[in-house]
Amino acid sequence: CPSLCLLKRKQNWLQESYATFFPKLFTRDYFGQDAYEWNRRGEQNGLLAANDGDRYPIVHPKMGTARVYGGGSAVLDMMCYTFGEDAMKRVINHYLRGHMYKNVETNDLYQSFQDTLGLAPDWFFDQWLYRGGYPVYNVKYQDASVEGKRMTQVTVSQVHHTDELTKLFKMPVVFDVYYTDGSMATTRQMVEKQTETINIPNPSNKQIAFVLFDPGSNIVKKVNFKKSFNELKAQALGAKQMIDRYDAIVALKNDSMSATAKRDLLIQLYNKEAYQATRSEIVNQLSADNSSEARAIIRRAIKDSAVEVRSAAINAYRFIPKDLEADMRPLLADSSYNMIVTALDKLSESFPENKSTYLDL
């Protein structure tokens, strides 16, 4: 009957989100933490884009594929982050064993939290499953003295539009303060008000290098957090998790620091970074730099072991510069068929007089 079909569509996330979530855990075990963080960022971006369109909740008959698959997987990730991964394993085990070969509803998962952990996560289910939208945070910090004690004082404001569908969000947030001596202070605080101030003690009076809000990007959100070139540099070089270093590199794109200082940093980062996403972003930014130093990195990227980096090197150009034509030719014999197609298209469009040669190759 129509009402039963509607119910099944609303609960579809309970199947497909898990089918997306567990391969992501396999990605972490097999390909490593960097690949896991990049996979998660893609899911988060998909959910943000979906909510920019219509703000349907995940538990809704019109939720759409971005919410059913990656969006729901991102929410399950946030459950692990919020309640603990070991606790979530117990919840899921109880939920699966208790409903084996049965139809399920979202409330059945909620009940498993109560049965297993003795808690009622109504606030989490309400904001991430039954309502739409996402939090937008404005973040800033200052080196302050509170009652005669030195503190890193972080101010967080929720600035997204609120109404009956999207309210203020309640989430535990980790704050990391990195110091110039290489040490770090961290705290985890519940953020739920319109504006909150978090004080992180600095008893040794250390110099702050940079501050991270939600290190590792566990929460689906948008953040406005202005940082200086020196802070971005320190974050890109020193943050523990790849996604935080990546975000700093992306932010460098719009920084007004001198081209030479930025180029030197990007080259240093290319030589340091192991994951393809960070190297690809560096290549994208260096492609606009015609210096011999930047060109040397582009030539290395063309031969990079990661196809994503090779792809970034050739796709960074609408038309391939003449001085890179000979370097790009070997991509016509690349191990990736997609790379060969891209190289043939780009080279032929950039140098039509050589098209026959490219086709022969």
Side-chain angles (χ1 to χ4, degrees), residues 147-166:
E147 297 179 351
K149 297 180 180 179
R150 193 171 180 182
M151 301 277 182
T152 303
Q153 196 169 72
V154 185
T155 302
V156 182
S157 299
Q158 298 194 47
V159 298
H160 55 275
H161 173 72
T162 57
D163 53 23
E164 285 303 309
L165 183 59
T166 306

Side-chain angles (χ1 to χ4, degrees), residues 35-319:
Y36 172 75
E37 291 174 13
W38 189 243
N39 189 325
R40 179 169 60 189
R41 172 58 62 82
E43 293 179 346
Q44 292 174 348
N45 286 343
L47 185 55
L48 291 173
N51 280 325
D52 280 339
D54 51 40
R55 287 200 297 158
Y56 284 128
I58 285 178
V59 183
H60 191 281
K62 294 182 179 180
M63 76 289 275
T65 56
R67 294 185 181 92
V68 170
Y69 294 90
S73 174
V75 170
L76 292 173
D77 228 324
M78 286 192 290
M79 286 183 182
C80 291
Y81 162 74
T82 301
F83 304 107
E85 196 161 323
D86 288 340
M88 270 300 293
K89 288 179 181 179
R90 290 166 54 202
V91 169
I92 293 172
N93 186 59
H94 179 272
Y95 164 73
L96 291 176
R97 290 182 181 277
H99 301 90
M100 194 177 297
Y101 307 119
K102 299 176 183 177
N103 290 325
V104 288
E105 300 178 13
T106 302
N107 190 60
D108 294 321
L109 179 60
Y110 176 89
Q111 189 64 48
S112 290
F113 274 89
Q114 292 184 311
D115 295 344
T116 308
L117 305 180
L119 57 84
D122 51 300
W123 59 272
F124 186 98
F125 276 63
D126 182 61
Q127 67 190 16
W128 291 115
L129 295 171
Y130 294 117
R131 295 185 185 276
Y134 53 80
V136 179
Y137 299 103
N138 281 355
V139 182
K140 60 182 180 180
Y141 79 90
Q142 62 177 343
D143 193 354
S145 178
V146 180
E147 297 179 351
K149 297 180 180 179
R150 193 171 180 182
M151 301 277 182
T152 303
Q153 196 169 72
V154 185
T155 302
V156 182
S157 299
Q158 298 194 47
V159 298
H160 55 275
H161 173 72
T162 57
D163 53 23
E164 285 303 309
L165 183 59
T166 306
K167 298 186 179 296
L168 293 177
F169 282 75
K170 173 183 177 180
M171 283 298 287
V173 179
V174 175
F175 299 82
D176 282 350
V177 180
Y178 283 74
Y179 301 111
T180 54
D181 68 354
S183 62
M184 185 187 77
T186 187
T187 186
R188 176 170 161 142
Q189 302 283 341
M190 190 66 76
V191 173
E192 56 185 309
K193 298 177 183 177
Q194 185 91 54
T195 299
E196 300 195 43
T197 299
I198 310 298
N199 291 316
I200 303 155
N202 182 6
S204 300
N205 296 316
K206 296 181 178 182
Q207 186 70 29
I208 300 170
F210 63 95
V211 174
L212 292 179
F213 174 83
D214 183 31
S217 190
N218 293 283
I219 302 168
V220 176
K221 65 190 179 304
K222 288 187 178 179
V223 181
N224 303 309
F225 191 175
K226 180 65 176 175
K227 298 180 181 181
S228 68
F229 176 81
N230 286 334
E231 288 173 308
L232 293 174
K233 177 179 179 179
Q235 180 175 327
L237 289 169
K240 291 182 178 180
Q241 292 177 267
M242 179 279 298
I243 202 68
D244 297 317
R245 300 194 301 274
Y246 172 84
D247 286 342
I249 294 169
V250 171
L252 286 169
K253 189 185 304 183
N254 299 318
D255 191 90
S256 58
M257 192 63 179
S258 74
T260 300
K262 193 181 296 188
R263 176 202 308 140
D264 291 345
L265 175 58
L266 290 172
I267 291 173
Q268 182 181 0
L269 290 168
Y270 187 89
N271 292 327
K272 183 175 184 289
E273 282 294 329
Y275 192 61
Q276 54 85 11
T278 49
R279 296 208 309 280
S280 295
E281 176 58 29
I282 292 166
V283 167
N284 284 329
Q285 293 189 39
L286 286 176
S287 65
D289 188 330
N290 295 326
S291 68
S292 59
E293 296 90 346
R295 279 289 199 264
I297 296 297
I298 298 299
R299 289 187 168 93
R300 285 175 56 190
I302 293 168
K303 301 176 182 178
D304 198 280
S305 59
V307 66
E308 296 89 350
V309 180
R310 301 198 300 276
S311 180
I314 194 168
N315 284 312
Y317 300 100
R318 174 67 178 85
F319 293 99

